[in-house]
Amino acid sequence: MKVITTREALRAELATWHGRSIGFVPTMGFLHDGHLSLFRRCAADNDVSVASIFVNPKQFGPNEDLDRYPRNPEGDTAAAEAAGIDILWMPPDGSVYAPGHATTVHVDGITRGLCGDSRPVFFDGIATVVTKLFNIVQPTRTYFGEKDWQQLAMVRRMAHDLDMPVEVIGMPIVREPDGLAMSSRNAYLRPDARQDALALSRALVAARRAWVAGERDVDALIAILRAPLEAAERVVIDYVEVVDPETIAYLRGTRLDTDAPALAAIAVDLQGTRLIDNARLDLPSPLEAVHP
Ligand code: AMP
């Protein structure tokens, strides 16, 4: 595996792969098995696999955790290599946006609601950095996790709308054995908060079971989602919604058609740590085996 820090060196390296398929996984590092599942799939699908590690300041609001976002460059390098990545691009902080950078990529619609409401600069920051990274890497395929469902939907929309010549591939959520979705931010959780964090996956299973039992009233499903979260002492709910998985349109106040696609989405604050999770209600989930 080659570790590259400058875009010039990256471009020169990628030029040697001209005409071959390039897979690309953008990340913010502090890698866990969720990231590594994307890396492995990327390595399996493509002639050359590229991963980036860049903590993108543009997607953090002023009161968020940019300054304390966890980092582990040595561990990440070893993990990326073991997962089959050929080129690890680690641009130093401050090197991605040139002085005077004045361009923002904004995707409308899909970025309203859910995390877009709670984090005003978040999706513009992601759309802008992902566009830059795509332009530098020029990937054939790119891999994003369903853990960040709204982000994945936005990247798909953006790539389609702007005719970006890349195939966007969504990958299932990788979880801890007890159901907690893997996240770099889980490192912030103290043991009591870690226990409370299980309320998210429990809520998703409860809603899925109600859906399987025939519940199609979205407000009733949202109430079922909220109950375990409200029972967890340290959890402060940011949002609990059921949305259209493609458009992210809110479905509250409606009844679902029998087999209509529906995504339950949750964000909470747990003692200063933001956690998100989601699950399709209309599809089986491995979580059902975790919380019997
Ligand atoms: P991040 O480093 O948090 O920006 O995440 C980089 C990529 O990894 C994004 O596409 C995420 O959706 C994906 N990812 C993060 N956590 C998980 C997980 N638990 N399972 C699957 N993909 C994940």
Side-chain angles (χ1 to χ4, degrees), residues 6 11 63 85 104 110 158 165-166 171 182 194 212 230:
T6 68
R11 281 201 165 124
N63 298 317
I85 291 297
T104 298
I110 265 177
M158 176 179 82
V166 62
M171 296 287 291
M182 289 195 180
R194 174 70 183 71
V212 170
E230 285 168 354

Side-chain angles (χ1 to χ4, degrees), residues 200-221:
L200 281 82
S201 53
R202 282 207 192 96
L204 294 170
V205 170
R208 162 74 186 159
R209 293 220 167 94
W211 189 97
V212 170
E215 183 61 80
R216 293 293 183 278
D217 181 281
V218 173
D219 291 349
L221 289 164

Side-chain angles (χ1 to χ4, degrees), residues 61-77:
N63 298 317
E64 295 182 0
D65 57 346
L66 174 61
D67 294 339
R68 65 179 185 122
Y69 197 82
R71 295 176 187 240
N72 179 15
E74 290 83 24
D76 285 356
T77 305

Side-chain angles (χ1 to χ4, degrees), residues 27-43:
T27 81
M28 299 207 299
F30 207 73
L31 300 176
H32 51 67
D33 279 347
H35 298 113
L36 300 180
S37 72
L38 276 54
F39 288 8
R40 289 190 202 102
R41 171 77 188 273
C42 177

